[in-house]
Amino acid sequence: YEPKDVSRDKVGYDIESTVPDRLRRSKQSKFRLIEVKGRSKGSQTVTVSKNEILTALNKPNEYILAIVEVDGPVTNTLYLKHPFREKPDFAATSINYDMKDLMNASEIILQRGA
């Protein structure tokens, strides 16, 4: 994979990762669009911007939400596909999600760490 940090571009995700042709399944996208959310251990909510939610809904097969739980030097990362079900209200700028509800409603594609 070839990751590229695009967080400064405000495109709705932090990392654009190119999937090498030899690893890509038929009809799979060439890119993985990864939004990373760091949370301290024990946090119950995660805040997601309207732009991030809309990007996830517009690119559902490419978008991955990575939630990184940090406990000092120890991290646990959960990678979620299809984390959001509906568009945010027009006036919303961000939405707080209960992490347990978000995980239960998403497809967990990988878990790394503790």
Side-chain angles (χ1 to χ4, degrees), residues 41-86:
K41 183 175 175 137
S43 295
Q44 296 179 0
T45 61
V46 62
T47 303
V48 184
S49 76
K50 180 179 184 176
N51 188 34
E52 294 161 356
I53 296 166
L54 292 175
T55 301
L57 293 172
N58 287 327
K59 300 281 187 179
N61 295 321
E62 293 91 358
Y63 194 91
I64 297 170
L65 178 62
I67 300 176
V68 183
E69 183 181 64
V70 180
D71 183 14
V74 178
T75 61
N76 182 35
T77 306
L78 196 62
Y79 296 87
L80 306 175
K81 290 282 283 183
H82 313 290
F84 312 113
R85 299 288 171 253
E86 56 190 52

Side-chain angles (χ1 to χ4, degrees), residues 5-112:
D5 183 347
V6 295
S7 58
R8 291 188 178 160
D9 299 337
K10 305 294 183 199
V11 292
Y13 50 91
D14 295 318
I15 300 167
E16 182 178 275
S17 181
T18 304
V19 181
D21 290 338
R22 64 180 170 29
L23 297 175
R24 195 172 334 132
R25 296 184 302 253
S26 66
K27 298 184 182 180
Q28 182 182 10
S29 173
K30 181 177 181 169
F31 298 105
R32 290 181 174 173
L33 312 177
I34 306 168
E35 173 59 29
V36 181
K37 296 293 181 182
R39 305 299 300 140
S40 59
K41 183 175 175 137
S43 295
Q44 296 179 0
T45 61
V46 62
T47 303
V48 184
S49 76
K50 180 179 184 176
N51 188 34
E52 294 161 356
I53 296 166
L54 292 175
T55 301
L57 293 172
N58 287 327
K59 300 281 187 179
N61 295 321
E62 293 91 358
Y63 194 91
I64 297 170
L65 178 62
I67 300 176
V68 183
E69 183 181 64
V70 180
D71 183 14
V74 178
T75 61
N76 182 35
T77 306
L78 196 62
Y79 296 87
L80 306 175
K81 290 282 283 183
H82 313 290
F84 312 113
R85 299 288 171 253
E86 56 190 52
K87 294 179 183 178
D89 183 85
F90 177 77
T93 56
S94 63
I95 297 177
N96 287 334
Y97 286 91
D98 179 274
M99 286 201 296
K100 287 183 182 176
D101 290 343
L102 193 60
M103 288 184 270
N104 288 336
S106 303
E107 176 187 349
I108 298 172
I109 58 171
L110 183 64
Q111 186 167 1
R112 288 191 171 156

